Amino acid sequence: MTPTEPTEPQGPQPAVEKPAVRQSPENLPPGKDVVAPSSTTEGGETTIEQPAVGVRTGMFGVPDTGDTSGYGGLVKPVVFPGAAQRPYGGWFDLVADGLDGLIEKVVIHRGEITFHVHRDHLLEVAGKLRDDPALRFEFCSGVSGVHYPEDTGRELHAVYHLLSMTFNRRIRLEVSCPDADPHIPSIVAAYPTSDWHERETFDFFGIIFDGHPALTRIQMPDDWPGHPQRKDYPLGGIPVEYKGGTIPPPDQRRSYN
Amino acid sequence: MVSTSSTTQGTDPYAASTSETSQGRVFTVTGQDWDSVVEGVADSEHLADERIVVNMGPQHPSTHGVLRLILELEGETVTEARCGIGYLHTGIEKNMEFRSWVQGVTFCTRMDYLSPFFNEATYTLGVERLLDIEDQIPEKAQVMRVLLMELNRISSHLVCIATGGMEIGALTVMTIGFRERELVLDLFELITGLRMNHAFIRPGGVAQDLPPGTLDEIRDFVALMKKRLPEYAALCNANPIFKARLENVGHLDLQGCLALGLTGPPLRAAGYGWDLRKTQPYSGYEDYDFDVQTWDTCDAYGRFRVRLNEMQESLRIVEQAADRLAGLEGAPVMIADKKIAWPSQLAIGSDGMGNSLDHIRHIMGESMEALIHHFKLVTEGFRVPPGQAYVPVESPRGELGAHVVSDGGTKPFRAHFRDPSFTNLQATSVMSEGGMIADVIVAIASIDPVMGGVDR
Amino acid sequence: MGIEEKLPSGVLLTTVEGVAGYMRKASFWPATFGLACCAIEMMTTGGPKYDLARFGMEVFRASPRQADLMIVAGRVSQKMAPVLRQIYDQMPDPKFVLAMGVCASSGGMFNNYAIVQGVDHVVPVDMYLPGCPPRPEMLIDAILKLHDQVQHAKLGKNRLDEIVEAEATALNALPTSEMRGMLR
């Protein structure tokens, strides 16, 4: 072994530029498209690239204040289950065939199928679902509104649950509309049962159902301003005082995100 | 505490009067002054042609809760009937968005307050589907859920029959109905600790195990009810007054039911045996032996008979559930996954109900993980993967479903309940128009709306 | 009001107070104001097991004009509040209000836009009964305490003195926000 000559202690080597390790979604700054981990499960439930609907920052704290108590740097995207690919499995394909060309997206999650439909096609889809002898979805369970404030351009969703008593099947229809133009056609003509459900969704979210015979407020007083179940409407509670201590209302308390 | 208000001696703003409004003349009548109405109508010619709009409620002994009925009358005949609802709107759905998933159970249980277990069950089943733990719920929890739901069905039908009877004047039905209901509430108190609004069915299982002696109580209850339920049949089924008031009232055939989205007893009284416990079973219902009750007249009498028979079937299921529970002594009632299972056990101590000392000893002395789980579950709660689920159950009034949306957080992003009373009440107009005022009451009683569910 | 208001304070007024109090409490007629879950517990309290008839109260008058006691049983929503006030105004004196349950007393668990946070925002309340829902025995306890209060209510000059005294105490009392000490 030849002894190496003692060399002078060398200074720090200049850093070698290496490409950054592929970051996990938690560490990416908000607003970027995030790739959800793709996995394949049975029944055609494949999640593919799905842009984040919103972002969850921080672990806990009081929202909308300067509360820095809880891991404020934590950033996590909110990623909903992605679109499924054909074949869907089971009777899902039969129903999708009946609605060919009218569906925007199909999501299969936990054994339930959701058809995302554009609002312009909603009436046609509803008519087909009810009248087509292979589909026979005679029963509409109701309309549910959901407000996704961070899903720009598609903030207000109306979700219809349909049941086929003949074939014992359940599907879900989801229609979205932007805040700026909250109009969705009314399916009262096809399913009269959605009369009060659409009124309620209008009352709570402000979605205007075109073609509804009498779209008025149903739960709130007739002259109530605002649409209470929207995310930008405050919960409206009052602080509770007890022997010198005050508890703020639930939406202003420190809570986990 | 002495109140500092002195007695009011001013004029009564609600005294009988007539006022001219932009829509016409309004008569406020408080009794013994109908002459003013008759004179007023006879006076002006155009008033004699116009129909009278009568407002019943929201505070009214017969409107089944805070329901406002706006009736346009022509004599005794109702030409138009509209429902005004929203007088009990509590914003429960929005409240749930600010509480954790388990706390949501405490909120949703108060919607349809006569069938709290069903609200809890549909919400919990939705959450469990999102969590993907549907097949990990222990068997004992499933059986307990079925037991409590069927007992709840009995108590709910008893209230329907009791209040329905009271509204048509059959007060004995009310007293015996509530007498039987007390037996069911005693069982609830024994098992869950509360008579009403128990937050017992939670995601992962049920909150607590059965206390000792429960099965004997249940068996005694079943034996007693088998003797008491026929009393209702004997009192009402062939009673000529009862039949005269209920037969051919509130008629709604199968086509009408399906178009208006009615489920539950009104649909089954129209002859179609659609029961979610049979067609889309949940919580192990496929293992129980019971029949779906139908009737063939689509009227209020049919719905009454369906409810009476359903109580008998529920009693059968309760018996089967008790037999199954006898073989499940010591089985867990909460899911094995400690990150979801609600940890604490409650017990009555010297200072009231609180965490049982056994549990405290375990988390403080024996297991660090248990302490951590308890802390995290109670403060943060578990996180539910993003997605949406809808798992409906067959509540005593029809299809009750919770549309649960999660964005991956500790709180529901949206929890919307499709309440059967809300949907069934839409049929009021169809059932009442063309009939008499008295029939409106009977028709609504036969739908059995619970305003807490209607307004949420 | 009546002749009892005009009696001079003394033995006669005290006796009349006793008799009038007894008459009023022995036959309280509640007005039906059942709203939500508490209404069901109120109905069971009138039912056979917890019998309100033994206190003279099984007659739940439908018309507020014939009732003394309004048991506000359940959550009062913003839409219902004017109706509540209207029913209260229609009741003749002497009238009493019992806020049954936490929702009626203080808004309960529903601290939000839709529920009036305590019916004392709308009507003056004589008895608050917590519970969600309160057991029938608790309701009966509250009713009996109210009976006590009614039995010992003062009339005429005694009543005016009492009002003056109560107002003075209330004005000098320590406000809740100033109370310090343990939060137990």
Side-chain angles (χ1 to χ4, degrees), chain B residues 1-9 12-16 30 57-61 65-66 84-92 94-95 99 106-107 110-114 159 163 166 174-176 178-179 181-182 185-186 189 194-197 451-453 456, chain C residues 1 31-38 40-41 43-44 46-50 61-62 64-65 74-80 82-83 85-90 93-95 109-115 124-126 132-133 135-137 149 159 162-163 166-167 170:
Chain B
M1 173 74 186
V2 176
S3 91
T4 52
S5 67
S6 47
T7 55
T8 47
Q9 309 222 9
D12 183 355
Y14 306 109
T30 57
Q59 189 261 359
H60 188 103
V66 281
I85 63 174
Y87 289 92
L88 204 54
H89 176 66
T90 321
I92 294 181
K94 190 166 173 88
N95 247 318
R99 301 293 197 310
T106 344
F107 274 87
R110 287 164 167 82
M111 284 189 184
D112 182 342
Y113 41 82
L114 285 176
V159 175
T163 49
M166 179 190 74
M174 172 141 202
T175 42
I176 61 178
F178 276 101
R179 179 190 67 186
R181 187 165 174 266
E182 287 300 321
L185 292 183
D186 282 342
E189 202 178 355
L194 289 172
R195 287 157 56 94
M196 281 175 72
N197 300 339
M451 298 314 289
R456 274 164 275 124
Chain C
M1 276 222 293
T32 56
F33 211 82
L35 297 164
C37 346
C38 283
I40 309 294
E41 287 296 56
M43 290 200 283
T44 58
K49 189 168 176 187
Y50 311 94
R61 303 313 294 175
R65 299 238 180 237
R75 42 201 194 238
V76 179
S77 73
Q78 300 282 352
K79 203 166 175 180
M80 193 66 189
V83 180
R85 183 74 209 183
Q86 188 170 358
I87 302 291
Y88 177 76
D89 288 338
Q90 284 181 318
D93 283 321
K95 53 190 170 183
M109 63 159 62
F110 303 113
N111 190 357
N112 62 11
Y113 63 89
I115 294 292
V125 176
D126 295 289
C132 194
R135 283 190 62 106
E137 288 102 331
Q149 200 180 318
R159 174 76 186 138
E162 191 185 43
I163 292 178
E167 207 172 319

